[in-house]
Amino acid sequence: DWGEAPDVSFFVGRAHELATLSHWILQDNSRLVGLLGMGGIGKTTLAAKLVQQLQDNFEIVVWRSLRNAPSLETLLTQWMPLLSYQQDVRPRLDALLQHLRAHKCLLVLDNLETILHPQPLGSFRTGYEDYEQLLQMVGETPHQSCLIITSREKPEVLAIQEGAALAVRSLIVPGMETEATALMTAKGLAGSTADCQTLIATYGGNPLALKIAATSIQDLFDGN
């Protein structure tokens, strides 16, 4: 169930990040993985490409966006029938854990920052504290599944659990460098390699910012 996952038919770069994340999940059996970074840096697209590459290694794949800030009960009401082959509709964490143990599931929660408090950093908004219990349970309790989250901020519960030799990891998604030239070409820009690199550096390799800039260049300067 791909939910609101983006189309990644056009995807460039990120080979190192994809290799690292794949190793964490398939070889190191990470149970909870966070993709972190500023808005527009490409966390959601990277997650979608990663899941696309890994899906054959899992029995069940479910993608959900938290952009509209659903309650955990609403989320579990959607998840449970999918994870139990329509046999269980109980929106409870203990029931969820049973299915994460019984089936090899790959779950994604996109835009987690929607339910986080701006201050103090990493805490959950009032009414969403049970998501902290979800992340804690998934990270600390043995099972054969993996939950990937994307967020502009690192949840405190993730920071507490993560470690290089532990089953909880996080990756700060960097800006794109030379690969972003392909993005400029796809947007129809014409210019020297040096010009492209200057533009990429100016926007810190942020794909969304580059797309917006490229659109303006296309509209105002005929792509030059």
Side-chain angles (χ1 to χ4, degrees), residues 173-207:
V173 180
M176 300 180 73
E177 297 178 359
T178 54
E179 307 98 328
T181 303
L183 183 63
M184 302 293 94
T185 302
K187 293 289 285 184
L189 299 194
S192 69
T193 300
D195 287 341
C196 282
Q197 291 304 313
T198 299
L199 183 66
I200 292 166
T202 299
Y203 287 94
N206 185 302

Side-chain angles (χ1 to χ4, degrees), residues 19 28 52 84 100-101 111 138 147 152 156 176 210:
D28 295 346
Q52 186 184 76
S84 66
L100 296 183
R101 287 173 168 164
N111 303 116
V138 169
L147 171 61
R152 298 184 185 187
E156 184 179 16
M176 300 180 73
L210 286 168

Side-chain angles (χ1 to χ4, degrees), residues 24-36:
W24 287 356
I25 294 171
L26 298 182
Q27 273 69 53
D28 295 346
N29 298 313
S30 294
R31 297 187 290 261
L32 177 60
V33 174
L35 301 185
L36 312 171

Side-chain angles (χ1 to χ4, degrees), residues 15 20-21 23 33 48 50 106 111 145 155 170-171 174 180 186-187 197-198 206 218 223:
T20 297
L21 293 164
H23 189 276
V33 174
L50 175 67
L106 182 59
N111 303 116
S145 300
S170 69
L171 176 73
K187 293 289 285 184
Q197 291 304 313
T198 299
N206 185 302
Q218 187 67 263

Side-chain angles (χ1 to χ4, degrees), residues 11 14-31 33-35 46-58 104 106 146 148 169 171:
F11 186 91
R14 304 295 194 196
H16 174 70
E17 289 87 349
L18 286 168
T20 297
L21 293 164
S22 296
H23 189 276
W24 287 356
I25 294 171
L26 298 182
Q27 273 69 53
D28 295 346
N29 298 313
S30 294
R31 297 187 290 261
V33 174
L35 301 185
L46 175 59
K49 187 65 175 180
L50 175 67
V51 174
Q52 186 184 76
Q53 291 185 355
L54 299 185
Q55 60 182 332
D56 291 342
N57 296 279
F58 290 86
K104 195 171 177 63
L106 182 59
C146 179
I148 298 171
R169 311 278 176 88
L171 176 73

Side-chain angles (χ1 to χ4, degrees), residues 20-191:
T20 297
L21 293 164
S22 296
H23 189 276
W24 287 356
I25 294 171
L26 298 182
Q27 273 69 53
D28 295 346
N29 298 313
S30 294
R31 297 187 290 261
L32 177 60
V33 174
L35 301 185
L36 312 171
M38 69 175 67
I41 204 69
K43 302 179 296 296
T44 298
T45 303
L46 175 59
K49 187 65 175 180
L50 175 67
V51 174
Q52 186 184 76
Q53 291 185 355
L54 299 185
Q55 60 182 332
D56 291 342
N57 296 279
F58 290 86
E59 186 180 344
I60 298 169
V61 175
V62 184
W63 180 293
R64 284 293 178 270
S65 171
L66 298 180
R67 187 177 292 113
N68 295 322
S71 67
L72 182 63
E73 183 177 5
T74 297
L75 179 75
L76 293 179
T77 299
Q78 296 176 5
W79 269 2
M80 293 301 289
L82 295 170
L83 303 187
S84 66
Y85 295 94
Q86 308 301 320
Q87 300 301 306
D88 189 354
V89 295
R90 297 171 295 165
R92 292 175 13 204
L93 286 177
D94 59 336
L96 172 66
L97 182 59
Q98 292 176 20
H99 298 301
L100 296 183
R101 287 173 168 164
H103 307 289
K104 195 171 177 63
C105 308
L106 182 59
L107 309 175
V108 181
L109 288 179
D110 191 26
N111 303 116
L112 188 81
E113 72 277 352
T114 306
I115 59 173
L116 292 178
H117 252 311
Q119 293 294 334
L121 286 176
S123 63
F124 284 86
R125 287 167 45 191
T126 302
Y128 294 92
E129 297 91 346
D130 45 6
Y131 272 92
E132 182 172 354
Q133 299 174 35
L134 168 66
L135 298 189
Q136 185 172 4
M137 182 195 76
V138 169
E140 290 183 349
T141 313
H143 55 79
Q144 61 174 334
S145 300
C146 179
L147 171 61
I148 298 171
I149 63 169
T150 75
S151 180
R152 298 184 185 187
E153 303 291 345
K154 181 185 292 188
E156 184 179 16
V157 63
L158 176 64
I160 291 172
Q161 294 185 83
E162 70 178 335
L166 302 177
V168 179
R169 311 278 176 88
S170 69
L171 176 73
I172 297 177
V173 180
M176 300 180 73
E177 297 178 359
T178 54
E179 307 98 328
T181 303
L183 183 63
M184 302 293 94
T185 302
K187 293 289 285 184
L189 299 194

